[in-house]
Amino acid sequence: SSCKTDHGVDPIEQELRGYKVLLARNTTQLNAPGGTRRAIHLVNADGSNLQDLSQHPEGGYPGVGNGFDSSPQFSADGNLIAFQTNRQGNQDLYVMHADGSNKTNITNSSELDLEFDWSPDGTKLVFTRLVQDKYVLYVVGANGSALSPLTGLMDDCRYPLWAPEAPEIYFFCLLDGPPLRDLYVMDADG
């Protein structure tokens, strides 16, 4: 049973009105090898108005097959969405407008681009790139500009998170060797 206010409206339902949920989900795609793909969707918090933001082409991508978009994250202001995708044959980071338009490859690398996080002001992303079997942290502008490494090949660092109110990035590294990664913090400029 749900709790109702004096006006007959569930307070949780009322609080969720206007909110959107961003998610990646597997769907079936006809006429494409394998038949399934992963797409980014936006949906109202009550489950209504499911929108496919990925807009994968029917039949997949040339030389790639079905699209696999994952790990969507809103920028702090909610105007942009960053996500991982294999649209160009390997795992790159893309940014698009919150309505799914203007999808832009911001890393455009032959390397695998993995875990990422937005800067608090939404102008940059920090991410992990697999380079020569080592994980290196990079920062890049939300428009793909100013790509710069923050760590080196010897550091083997992953899982970066931008501090919400400080110019710092938290991450895990194997600086002292395997088997465990230790937690580190650095200034956002490296």
Side-chain angles (χ1 to χ4, degrees), residues 68-129:
F68 189 87
D69 294 351
S70 64
S71 305
Q73 287 184 26
F74 278 115
S75 59
D77 64 8
N79 291 325
L80 297 173
I81 298 169
F83 62 101
Q84 296 171 319
T85 184
N86 70 342
R87 291 166 182 253
Q88 293 182 319
N90 68 310
Q91 197 75 11
D92 284 316
L93 296 183
Y94 274 60
V95 170
M96 65 180 159
H97 291 158
D99 65 1
S101 67
N102 200 31
K103 294 171 188 70
T104 304
N105 184 339
I106 64 166
T107 56
N108 203 19
S109 170
S110 61
E111 310 289 348
L112 292 178
D113 296 327
L114 303 167
E115 309 93 12
F116 66 92
D117 195 34
W118 283 99
S119 63
D121 65 3
T123 62
K124 300 176 191 169
L125 290 105
V126 61
F127 67 96
T128 304
R129 175 173 280 172

Side-chain angles (χ1 to χ4, degrees), residues 89-180:
N90 68 310
Q91 197 75 11
D92 284 316
L93 296 183
Y94 274 60
V95 170
M96 65 180 159
H97 291 158
D99 65 1
S101 67
N102 200 31
K103 294 171 188 70
T104 304
N105 184 339
I106 64 166
T107 56
N108 203 19
S109 170
S110 61
E111 310 289 348
L112 292 178
D113 296 327
L114 303 167
E115 309 93 12
F116 66 92
D117 195 34
W118 283 99
S119 63
D121 65 3
T123 62
K124 300 176 191 169
L125 290 105
V126 61
F127 67 96
T128 304
R129 175 173 280 172
L130 183 60
V131 180
Q132 298 174 13
D133 295 323
K134 296 287 187 175
Y135 297 101
V136 179
L137 300 184
Y138 282 79
V139 67
V140 65
N143 62 1
S145 66
L147 177 70
S148 177
L150 297 175
T151 61
L153 285 174
M154 300 305 296
D155 300 332
D156 209 12
C157 301
R158 292 189 79 173
Y159 311 109
L161 290 173
W162 220 295
E165 295 181 15
E168 298 173 334
I169 296 171
Y170 296 89
F171 58 98
F172 290 92
C173 262
L174 287 174
L175 293 177
D176 296 325
L180 302 175

